[in-house]
Amino acid sequence: MIIAEKIYELPTEEEHALTIVEYKDLGAVETNFGTKEKVSIKIDVTDQKTEQGENIYVFVNAAKSIGEKSTLGKFLRKLGITPGPAFDMDDLVGFKFRAVIEHSKATNGKTYANVGSIVKKRSQVESV
C-alpha cells in the first residue's frame, strides 16, 4: 500500500469572501516560545472552489489569548470585534468578512495561504 501526502489546493492571492465555519481547541502545543494552549480557526473561502468543486479552507492558528498584542486578539480586532475581558469562540462561527489571501513559503518548503489584510466594511452613504 502506498500512502501519499495530501496536497491541498490554495486559494488565489487576491481579495476573497470568507466565512468562519468552525474552531478547534488544539490543546497544549510546543512552540519556539515554549508550550502554549492554541486554537485553530477554520475559514471557508466562499467565492472559490477547488478544480474538483470542493470547498477551499484557510486556517488561523493562535494562542488562546485575546490580549492586544496576541495573534487572536489582533485578528478579532481587525474583524471589528472587541473581545472584552472574555470572548466566546462560538460567536465567530458563521462570521462573514472579506480579506486578501496571501501565500507564504514555510521553512519546510511548503506554501501556505494566510489571511492578510481584512477589508473593512464600507459605511452606508446616504443619498440626497
Side-chain angles (χ1 to χ4, degrees):
M1 172 170 52
I2 298 173
I3 300 173
E5 183 176 359
K6 181 166 172 66
I7 298 174
Y8 293 94
E9 195 172 319
L10 299 178
T12 53
E13 286 188 291
E14 61 186 332
E15 185 179 316
H16 286 281
L18 306 170
T19 302
I20 297 173
V21 292
E22 69 180 4
Y23 67 90
K24 186 177 188 179
D25 185 344
L26 299 177
V29 176
E30 199 58 42
T31 72
N32 293 338
F33 306 102
T35 304
K36 303 284 184 189
E37 290 287 323
K38 299 197 84 164
V39 65
S40 180
I41 301 168
K42 184 177 182 180
I43 303 168
D44 183 17
V45 180
T46 57
D47 60 0
Q48 185 179 351
K49 301 282 185 201
T50 67
E51 289 181 10
Q52 293 76 29
E54 297 172 346
N55 290 5
I56 296 178
Y57 300 101
V58 293
F59 296 85
V60 172
N61 294 323
K64 288 192 230 174
S65 170
I66 53 174
E68 300 246 350
K69 295 183 179 182
S70 70
T71 300
L72 181 57
K74 287 178 185 176
F75 179 69
L76 292 174
R77 288 171 181 82
K78 285 179 184 175
L79 290 176
I81 299 169
T82 305
F87 181 74
D88 186 347
M89 292 292 290
D90 289 340
D91 293 342
L92 280 181
V93 177
F95 191 91
K96 297 177 185 311
F97 64 104
R98 296 192 67 81
V100 175
I101 296 296
E102 300 170 346
H103 293 175
S104 63
K105 189 164 270 198
T107 55
N108 63 7
K110 292 182 183 178
T111 301
Y112 294 93
N114 302 295
V115 176
S117 302
I118 294 173
V119 179
K120 300 285 185 200
K121 292 182 181 174
R122 296 182 188 136
S123 58
Q124 297 271 337
V125 178
E126 292 184 28
S127 303
V128 179

